[in-house]
């Protein structure tokens, strides 16, 4: 379970493959001729989820806009992830069926963030609750807190254990706070596996509700016509975008360490099939 131990086992020859490495390991392992660092852009999306249904400040769209205008995902990727991630404009990646390349990106603009906060009727210094657990990279949580602070949005980080985190997020009361960090993958490469569970009314993961969105994703589930499905997902994604139901920030890149002699390449769905692996002579 300890990343440092996985890296040490790899360098000592105890292990042939190490999974779930970080950008900090890339430079160290890349300099060793006995090792290589396979990477793959995955279908996993790193996002900021908002509590739209609960008694929270983020129930107001202007507050959600203030947040997304105050965050610069590229700075976070460059500073904390060594550039090992690609920005996204929505809750899908280009790998997903239903991805809409026409959606514009929210521009980083601290002044627009302050203007949106003023429209919401909230004074500078408003405190928002950021729910998190040790399962998430706390450096990213703190970086988001810092960027929001620069725009006049005070964020209180509430850290709980993972079971409590899940219980809060999945509770029907929607009393888990204002926002939370998430990473989601369905291993299906289809929009349905992402936006349906995260945003469909009544889903245990959803703190958002929009009848028009529900109709679009339900309709996409009811047809095998690919063009029709893409049309319905374009509608659903536009609704999520207009409502700022969440903020998709980047496409997660999976990083592995392997011996130079291991003939294997990672997959976009992060599956490990041993029968695909072999040692080079």
């Amino acid at each position: 379970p300890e990343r440092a131990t996985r890296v040490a086992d790899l360098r000592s020859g105890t292990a042939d493959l190490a999974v779930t490495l970080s950008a900090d390991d890339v430079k160290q392992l890349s300099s060793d001729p006995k090792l290589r660092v396979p990477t793959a852009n995955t279908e996993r999306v790193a996002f900021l989820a908002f509590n739209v249904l609960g008694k929270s400040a983020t129930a107001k769209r202007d507050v959600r806009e203030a947040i997304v205008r105050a965050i610069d995902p590229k700075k976070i990727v460059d500073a904390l992830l060594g550039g090992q991630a690609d920005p996204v404009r929505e809750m899908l990646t280009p790998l997903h069926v239903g991805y809409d390349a026409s959606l514009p990106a929210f521009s980083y603009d601290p002044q627009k963030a302050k203007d949106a906060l003023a429209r919401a009727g909230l004074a500078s210094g408003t405190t928002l609750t950021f729910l998190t657990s040790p399962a998430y990279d706390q450096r990213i949580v703190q970086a988001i807190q810092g960027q929001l602070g620069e725009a006049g949005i005070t964020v209180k980080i509430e850290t709980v254990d993972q079971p409590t985190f899940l219980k809060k997020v999945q509770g029907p009361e929607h009393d888990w706070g204002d926002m939370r960090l998430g990473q989601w993958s369905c291993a299906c490469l289809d929009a349905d596996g992402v936006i349906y569970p995260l945003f469909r009314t009544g889903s245990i993961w959803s703190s958002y509700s929009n009848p028009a969105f529900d109709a679009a994703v339900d309709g996409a589930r009811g047809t095998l016509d690919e063009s029709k499905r893409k049309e319905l997902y374009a509608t659903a994604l536009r609704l999520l975008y207009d409502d700022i139901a969440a903020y998709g920030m980047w496409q997660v890149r999976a990083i592995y360490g392997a011996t130079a002699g291991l003939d294997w390449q990672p997959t976009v769905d992060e599956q490990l099939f041993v029968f695909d692996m072999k040692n080079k002579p």
Side-chain angles (χ1 to χ4, degrees):
E2 295 296 329
R3 195 185 85 242
T5 304
R6 296 199 298 276
V7 171
D9 286 348
L10 189 67
R11 301 193 75 178
S12 68
T14 303
D16 296 293
L17 177 68
V19 304
T20 321
L21 300 188
S22 76
D24 295 335
D25 302 315
V26 172
K27 186 175 182 180
Q28 177 189 167
L29 296 178
S30 297
S31 64
D32 190 330
K34 302 187 301 297
L35 302 174
R36 63 189 185 92
V37 186
T39 65
N41 280 336
T42 71
E43 62 157 13
R44 191 177 298 275
V45 177
F47 65 97
L48 198 62
F50 299 125
N51 191 348
V52 181
L53 298 181
K55 296 178 180 178
S56 58
T58 48
K60 294 184 176 182
R61 185 193 181 281
D62 283 328
V63 174
R64 303 195 295 274
E65 180 175 350
I67 292 170
V68 301
R69 296 292 189 189
I71 296 174
D72 188 343
K74 187 176 186 307
K75 282 186 179 179
I76 297 174
V77 168
D78 290 345
L80 300 180
L81 302 180
Q84 294 286 338
D86 292 330
V88 294
R89 300 182 176 189
E90 59 202 76
M91 288 298 298
L92 300 177
T93 75
L95 297 169
H96 288 95
V97 172
Y99 174 78
D100 186 355
S102 70
L103 284 175
F106 280 104
S107 60
Y108 167 65
D109 192 326
Q111 185 55 54
K112 285 186 178 180
K114 293 176 181 178
D115 293 343
L117 205 61
R119 289 197 306 272
L122 300 180
S124 180
T126 295
T127 300
L128 303 180
T129 300
F130 194 153
L131 182 68
T132 187
S133 84
Y136 299 97
D137 189 333
Q138 296 306 297
R139 301 174 306 161
I140 295 175
V141 172
Q142 291 162 13
I144 291 173
Q145 179 191 42
Q147 290 187 348
L148 293 180
E150 292 174 3
I153 304 171
T154 303
V155 172
K156 180 185 75 171
I157 297 173
E158 180 183 345
T159 305
V160 297
D161 59 79
Q162 185 67 1
T164 301
F165 176 88
L166 294 175
K167 185 177 180 180
K168 281 177 171 286
V169 170
Q170 296 176 353
E173 300 85 3
H174 304 286
D175 61 352
W176 52 267
D178 295 290
M179 55 187 174
R180 61 182 177 86
L181 189 65
Q183 291 195 72
W184 189 272
S185 170
C186 66
C188 63
L189 298 173
D190 192 278
D192 178 81
V194 180
I195 61 177
Y196 189 98
L198 287 179
F199 302 106
R200 175 64 167 84
T201 302
S203 166
I204 60 172
W205 293 105
S206 177
S207 286
Y208 169 78
S209 181
N210 183 327
F213 171 84
D214 294 347
V217 292
D218 288 348
R221 282 194 159 194
T223 179
L224 296 177
D225 185 322
E226 185 175 348
S227 62
K228 182 62 175 177
R229 293 185 79 237
K230 288 182 177 179
E231 179 183 330
L232 289 165
Y233 285 134
T235 297
L237 290 166
R238 171 56 71 172
L239 290 166
L240 294 178
Y241 179 88
D242 290 343
D243 285 345
I244 317 180
Y247 185 35
M249 295 185 293
W250 57 79
Q251 178 181 12
V252 176
R253 187 172 300 166
I255 302 173
Y256 303 83
T259 57
L262 182 65
D263 184 6
W264 172 79
Q265 290 298 323
T267 62
V268 299
D269 59 1
E270 302 173 77
Q271 299 294 324
L272 291 173
F273 296 107
V274 179
F275 56 74
D276 288 335
M277 302 177 187
K278 60 183 177 181
N279 282 314
K280 298 177 183 177

